Amino acid sequence: MSSMKVCVLFRPLNSKELSEFGDAVSVQGINSDSFIIKDEKEQEFEFTFDRVFYQGSEQADIYEFLALPIVQGAVDAINGTIITYGQTGAGKTYSMEGPSIVDCENKKKGLLQRVVDGLFDAIVNSEKPSKYTIKLSMVEIYMEKVRDLFDLSKDNIQIKESKVHGIILNGATEVAISNSTEALQSLSSGIANRAVGETQMNMSSSRSHCLYIFTVQQDFAKDKRTKFGKLILADLAGSEKVEKTGAEGKILEEAKTINQSLTALGKVINAMTSCTPGKPTHIPYRDSKLTRILQDALGGCSQTALLCCCSPSPFNSSESLSTLRFGARAKHIKASVHVSCKEDLDCNKAIAVYTNVDESRERILGKLRETMTAEDVQLLEKLFVLEGIFFDPNSVDEIEAAYEDVTSRTISSLHKAVEELSTGVEKVSFPNGIELHFDVPWWIISQMKRENAALKARLKASEEFYRRQLEIRPLCLIL
């Protein structure tokens, strides 16, 4: 078990900070991993991290300490994630991309360019008898929707889970890259599609969380094995204080959504680091798209590094302290990484897997039939498909999570559906963004209208049934 690697970067003072406070700073370095920072009341706080990069630090030093081991791990089929976190204007995107993703002098290259070069260098230097394939995806989480930056028509990508690949983005464009030049050109086109806006804190503020996803596949022809290494670079949008950013209108709505998702991330970190050993604890990964996508990284299934980007100015000391406390908390997360490997399945093995999935679905529905009518179970099954709880039987996805979803998202959605149908609204909205109109599909609306009163009573009884079943953790969910 190893801890998440957490580093801190203090960027140089910007023009606004220099005009407000001159060259005054609130940070006093002790050594390469410890420092003291003062808050607005001049109270001192000491922090220690894996590494502290002070003003003037080289981009190459950040890459070599923070990212290089994770890059090498990805080539060896060990998943890795690198996250930049901090307030708006703290230097996250600059650390990730540098001043330009393509035309940039070597000294100023960001993590992205260096990761791309590192991946191809590691493959060239590998002595393993295998064929490597690298694919690149790029998405942003904007207003709680996952958008494909390589194909803007895909503006609401669904998040799924695979036993082999972990959390995946269903349908996201994957671009095969064979060298650094191709990769940087693809990244440049995706970055051009990212949502940005101007605030009083940042002329080009990121209005979304951006994720760069590299999948490294190794094919071993001799023993028909395939290994996968997934490397995610997450450039998070910065937390914002409206009184400092001057956000209004659309920018304000974006800021609210950004802050909500960062709050959800903080809750996940708190839940993970506050749990009692040996006692089950609910980790709210599903509270936001960001935490759901980062579930593998935060849950200990990958090598994860966090770069906390801060301003050294007294003007931003409260936000810097908040960032540092977040990083200190994250430092306690433990990881137990493993190699992602899949044997080459023959037809009989594949059929066996699909049969198990079908059996698991039937067990779940069988439990529902014990207390509900066949018509209501059929209705629920259709709604589960719409909600993303049940998927195609030919894909091994979130079967174990289905029962928990039954108790939370779906029951609340059904309650809302019944209430809205009672008042005669023309559509029903679900938490994942689906809008169910009266004429699509017609039989759901017709059934719910006829059984409105009875369904309310059954839902109440079902809630108590699900609650009892969750307490005993039924074996029917185990494949």
Side-chain angles (χ1 to χ4, degrees):
M1 298 288 285
S2 59
S3 299
M4 179 186 293
K5 182 180 287 186
V6 181
C7 298
V8 174
L9 169 66
F10 289 103
R11 61 155 172 76
L13 295 167
N14 61 31
S15 57
K16 182 177 180 65
E17 292 165 342
L18 289 169
S19 64
E20 293 276 348
F21 292 92
D23 58 359
V25 295
S26 58
V27 180
Q28 177 186 343
I30 299 176
N31 50 41
S32 62
D33 57 21
S34 299
F35 59 89
I36 294 172
I37 184 171
K38 295 181 180 179
D39 64 9
E40 295 170 337
K41 298 179 180 179
E42 295 294 311
Q43 184 177 354
E44 294 184 348
F45 300 86
E46 183 174 340
F47 289 92
T48 299
F49 293 95
D50 291 292
R51 184 76 176 270
V52 182
F53 299 99
Y54 298 101
Q55 299 179 62
S57 295
E58 299 289 342
Q59 294 272 62
D61 293 338
I62 300 173
Y63 168 75
E64 290 176 7
F65 184 86
L66 189 77
L68 182 56
I70 295 178
V71 171
Q72 294 172 335
V75 175
D76 292 328
I78 298 174
N79 293 340
T81 305
I82 302 166
I83 304 170
T84 56
Y85 178 91
Q87 76 173 118
T88 183
K92 300 180 298 301
T93 300
Y94 185 89
S95 297
M96 190 67 75
E97 302 174 5
S100 171
I101 197 68
V102 177
D103 301 319
C104 179
E105 61 180 280
N106 188 63
K107 184 178 180 180
K108 295 183 179 180
K109 283 182 178 179
L111 288 171
L112 259 178
Q113 298 98 316
R114 298 177 192 278
V115 163
V116 168
D117 291 339
L119 286 172
F120 286 106
D121 288 345
I123 290 174
V124 169
N125 296 326
S126 175
E127 298 179 355
K128 295 180 179 179
S130 59
K131 175 186 176 182
Y132 285 91
T133 304
I134 301 181
K135 293 182 180 180
L136 169 65
S137 297
M138 187 174 171
V139 300
E140 69 174 355
I141 305 172
Y142 176 75
M143 300 294 286
E144 274 304 287
K145 286 189 176 182
V146 182
R147 308 199 305 188
D148 191 332
L149 292 176
F150 289 151
D151 184 353
L152 296 179
S153 66
K154 300 176 181 178
D155 60 357
N156 191 18
I157 294 172
Q158 299 303 302
I159 304 168
K160 303 294 179 67
E161 188 170 2
S162 161
K163 285 187 175 295
V164 175
H165 300 284
I167 300 298
I168 58 175
L169 299 174
N170 191 37
T173 303
E174 286 189 313
V175 178
I177 52 177
S178 57
N179 56 59
S180 296
T181 301
E182 282 185 5
L184 294 180
Q185 288 174 346
S186 296
L187 287 168
S188 180
S189 65
I191 289 170
N193 291 328
R194 188 177 178 185
V196 296
E198 181 179 348
T199 72
Q200 294 177 12
M201 289 286 291
N202 195 344
M203 291 291 291
S204 184
S205 174
S206 300
R207 312 312 297 165
S208 66
H209 307 300
C210 188
L211 292 94
Y212 314 86
I213 305 169
F214 298 87
T215 303
V216 183
Q217 179 176 323
Q218 296 180 61
D219 294 307
F220 296 84
K222 186 176 180 180
D223 53 4
K224 295 183 179 181
R225 287 184 303 127
T226 300
K227 290 184 178 181
F228 303 91
K230 182 168 63 177
L231 174 57
I232 300 176
L233 282 77
D235 178 21
L236 304 189
S239 57
E240 299 186 11
K241 283 189 174 181
V242 176
E243 60 267 26
K244 285 190 175 182
T245 62
E248 56 185 23
K250 180 182 178 182
I251 298 292
L252 178 59
E253 292 305 311
E254 293 169 344
K256 289 178 181 178
T257 307
I258 290 169
N259 288 342
Q260 287 171 358
S261 62
L262 293 175
T263 298
L265 178 59
K267 289 180 178 178
V268 166
I269 299 296
N270 288 338
M272 295 186 68
T273 56
S274 301
C275 59
T276 302
K279 183 178 180 180
T281 301
H282 172 64
I283 310 297
Y285 292 118
R286 295 171 183 268
D287 282 2
S288 77
K289 298 292 178 65
L290 175 63
T291 51
R292 182 64 170 137
I293 293 176
L294 294 180
Q295 180 173 338
D296 288 340
L298 300 171
C301 296
S302 75
Q303 296 185 93
T304 304
L306 175 67
L307 181 64
C308 294
C309 298
C310 300
S311 162
S313 173
F315 178 68
N316 293 309
S317 59
S318 62
E319 290 90 342
S320 295
L321 268 171
S322 177
T323 298
L324 295 170
R325 286 168 177 149
F326 175 88
R329 193 84 175 182
K331 187 75 179 72
H332 295 290
I333 294 177
K334 301 294 182 182
S336 180
V337 299
H338 58 275
V339 173
S340 299
C341 180
K342 182 184 74 173
E343 303 291 338
D344 191 22
L345 297 176
D346 58 29
C347 183
N348 290 333
K349 289 182 180 179
I351 292 173
V353 170
Y354 300 151
T355 301
N356 286 340
V357 175
D358 284 334
E359 290 176 353
S360 185
R361 289 161 56 92
E362 284 306 311
R363 289 189 187 115
I364 295 170
L365 294 173
K367 282 290 182 181
L368 298 178
R369 292 187 186 103
E370 292 178 6
T371 57
M372 303 180 73
T373 67
E375 287 184 346
D376 288 339
V377 172
Q378 184 183 27
L379 171 63
L380 285 170
E381 184 179 5
K382 295 294 183 181
L383 288 171
F384 293 164
V385 173
L386 287 173
E387 274 289 275
I389 296 169
F390 281 171
F391 303 112
D392 184 348
N394 292 335
S395 64
V396 184
D397 288 343
E398 309 176 307
I399 300 300
E400 290 188 8
Y403 217 78
E404 181 179 350
D405 280 342
V406 170
T407 64
S408 56
R409 293 192 298 141
T410 305
I411 284 183
S412 62
S413 297
L414 286 171
H415 274 304
K416 182 178 179 182
V418 171
E419 292 171 1
E420 291 184 341
L421 286 170
S422 299
T423 59
V425 297
E426 296 182 355
K427 65 182 179 181
V428 178
S429 299
F430 289 89
N432 63 0
I434 292 176
E435 290 185 348
L436 186 61
H437 293 259
F438 277 17
D439 56 343
V440 184
W442 63 268
W443 66 268
I444 294 179
I445 304 303
S446 177
Q447 172 74 6
M448 292 184 74
K449 280 184 175 181
R450 291 196 306 269
E451 301 293 338
N452 192 359
L455 185 55
K456 281 186 178 181
R458 292 190 186 103
L459 282 172
K460 185 176 180 180
S462 298
E463 284 179 313
E464 182 59 31
F465 169 76
Y466 299 139
R467 192 175 297 111
R468 292 197 306 270
Q469 294 303 308
L470 280 177
E471 289 175 355
I472 64 173
R473 303 294 297 172
L475 295 177
C476 68
L477 297 181
I478 300 176
L479 294 179

